[in-house]
Amino acid sequence: MLSALVLSAHAQQPANQLLPYQNPNLSAEARANDLLSRLTLEEKTKLMMDASPAISRLGIPQFQWWNEALHGVARNGYATVFPITMHMASSWDDALLYQVFTAVSDEARAKAQVAKKSGNVKRYQSLSFWTPNVNIFRDPRWGRGQETYGEDPYLTTRMGLAVVNGLQGQSFDGKPLAAPGVLASDQSKTPQYVKTLACAKHFAVHSGPESVRHGFNAEVSEYDLWDTYLPAFEACVKEGGVEAVMGAYNSVDGEPCCGSKRLMGDILRGQWGFEGHYVSDCGAISDFHQFHKITDTAPESAALALKNGCDINCGNTYLMLLQALQEGRVTEEEITQSCVRAFTCRYLLGLFSDDNEYNQI
């Protein structure tokens, strides 16, 4: 949770000798704002892709937003494999699931350290995990139903929260944990960093026939939207402080989910107060013009997603942001705003600090 995190500990070098983005005494958001003021527009847009390149002149390492951990660290060498999501849900034991994802985040941190030492961080080797999948599984034609916790909104909510808290290094009820060797009552010494970034996906009303997922328009009643499809997302944001939300491929009532003013702006950031970053499902923004036919060109699609709050593009449509800027569809301020949200999360991971207790795992 962005608002709940405390400032970093003092660096060995005096703070008055550091630039603001290097100063661990400043908040993550303040450091991100200063860093982004030193980047070119082209550099900013590159950092908004799922594979974020290094920018050596400012000491920015490469970063991979795309990692998976639905039932264990995935696609990253040997790891503990837990039962599939649907089977874990069948236990109705959210406390056990919390223990599972505490172990998963331990392994994720250890593996990230190994990747960092190699000097080449590849896909699936960073610390943002596109987990949990809190979609509701109603239609057996949907090929990814086994990734969910089933058809029950309450069960999905409880399981989703357990996963978020385990991945992000929070207590079972979402509160900050005491640092190693510190009494839980001493909240002045809670961990300064997020263990890994969890991501609630796919927002929203995402299920149904797999073959038409890229152009499907979900028409859902207000009752069903709020009673069935949104509760788990709302809980992950408001109770779990989930750091990321991923938008779905489909549209909801005519608005593509990765460019929806209602879902992203009015509900997620407005009513729920979401402060983290929003990421598109892979290729979802190009779906705007290719399948939904909401836009005509890639720059127009990129602009629609950015203006409604999509910060990271899994895909390549955000390569068109500079053209969208030239066409007057977006502003530099909008690009910077999304970059600040993304980079705040990277600071919260402690990737630019030596005093990160998670690096000891």
Side-chain angles (χ1 to χ4, degrees):
M1 291 175 285
L2 305 186
S3 59
L5 292 166
V6 296
L7 300 182
S8 299
H10 289 280
Q12 293 181 352
Q13 188 175 1
N16 59 8
Q17 296 180 19
L18 299 172
L19 294 171
Y21 77 90
Q22 299 170 319
N23 187 350
N25 295 318
L26 298 179
S27 70
E29 187 174 3
R31 296 176 74 182
N33 271 294
D34 180 72
L35 179 64
L36 268 296
S37 71
R38 303 172 190 275
L39 294 174
T40 67
L41 261 174
E42 184 176 4
E43 287 171 334
K44 291 177 186 178
T45 56
K46 288 181 179 179
L47 294 175
M48 298 169 71
M49 311 294 288
D50 64 273
S52 179
I55 300 178
S56 57
R57 68 182 182 87
L58 291 174
I60 301 173
Q62 61 187 130
F63 188 76
Q64 296 282 344
W65 292 95
W66 187 350
N67 305 279
E68 306 283 357
L70 281 166
H71 58 116
V73 176
R75 303 174 182 174
N76 187 9
Y78 288 104
T80 305
V81 179
F82 295 93
I84 67 166
T85 310
M86 187 71 75
H87 284 176
M88 289 192 286
S90 299
S91 71
W92 282 76
D93 192 339
D94 53 346
L96 179 60
L97 197 63
Y98 171 74
Q99 294 179 43
V100 166
F101 279 89
T102 297
V104 170
S105 54
D106 281 347
E107 292 190 12
R109 271 285 176 177
K111 285 178 171 292
Q113 284 291 96
V114 173
K116 180 181 177 181
K117 290 176 182 177
S118 76
N120 182 23
V121 179
K122 300 176 182 178
R123 180 176 289 173
Y124 312 125
Q125 294 182 335
S126 284
L127 291 168
S128 75
F129 286 90
W130 292 347
T131 302
N133 183 342
V134 291
N135 292 135
I136 300 301
F137 185 37
R138 278 183 164 177
D139 191 328
R141 294 173 297 174
W142 185 35
R144 296 177 67 177
Q146 78 281 358
E147 295 182 8
T148 74
Y149 302 98
E151 65 183 6
D152 187 316
Y154 176 76
L155 175 61
T156 299
T157 295
R158 301 313 306 170
M159 293 296 185
L161 279 171
V163 174
V164 169
N165 290 331
L167 284 177
Q168 295 190 172
Q170 297 155 185
S171 68
F172 177 60
D173 58 3
K175 297 177 181 177
L177 287 167
V182 175
L183 294 175
S185 59
D186 188 353
Q187 292 302 304
S188 65
K189 296 182 179 179
T190 53
Q192 301 138 6
Y193 304 108
V194 174
K195 194 175 182 185
T196 70
L197 304 181
C199 176
K201 65 182 185 184
H202 310 81
F203 193 61
V205 199
H206 183 60
S207 61
E210 190 78 0
S211 61
V212 295
R213 64 179 179 166
H214 291 277
F216 181 71
N217 178 40
E219 297 177 338
V220 60
S221 71
E222 284 296 292
Y223 179 87
D224 216 15
L225 178 68
W226 289 98
D227 193 66
T228 304
Y229 292 105
L230 294 186
F233 287 101
E234 183 175 8
C236 285
V237 170
K238 295 169 69 172
E239 298 178 46
V242 69
E243 293 291 345
V245 172
M246 176 182 282
Y249 286 122
N250 56 278
S251 291
V252 174
D253 295 330
E255 285 189 328
C257 293
C258 292
S260 170
K261 178 183 181 299
R262 186 187 185 202
L263 288 177
M264 301 163 69
D266 298 344
I267 295 175
L268 185 63
R269 297 196 188 277
Q271 294 183 42
W272 297 348
F274 177 63
E275 296 181 306
H277 72 278
Y278 194 98
V279 58
S280 76
D281 205 342
C282 298
I285 298 177
S286 62
D287 287 348
F288 294 2
H289 56 277
Q290 292 182 335
F291 299 107
H292 292 294
K293 305 300 182 182
I294 298 294
T295 56
D296 295 320
T297 66
E300 190 179 350
S301 296
L304 180 63
L306 178 70
K307 293 181 81 68
N308 284 298
C310 186
D311 306 308
I312 300 295
N313 173 210
C314 182
N316 56 22
T317 308
Y318 270 10
L319 294 175
M320 297 290 106
L321 278 176
L322 290 178
Q323 184 174 334
L325 180 68
Q326 294 170 355
E327 295 174 358
R329 299 183 185 277
V330 299
T331 66
E332 182 175 355
E333 290 73 22
E334 289 167 333
I335 293 173
T336 300
Q337 181 185 45
S338 280
C339 283
V340 166
R341 284 196 287 252
F343 244 89
T344 296
C345 293
R346 291 177 65 174
Y347 275 116
L348 291 173
L349 284 168
L351 300 179
F352 303 89
S353 303
D354 295 328
D355 64 335
N356 186 349
E357 62 270 25
Y358 292 127
N359 287 340
Q360 305 307 311
I361 299 176

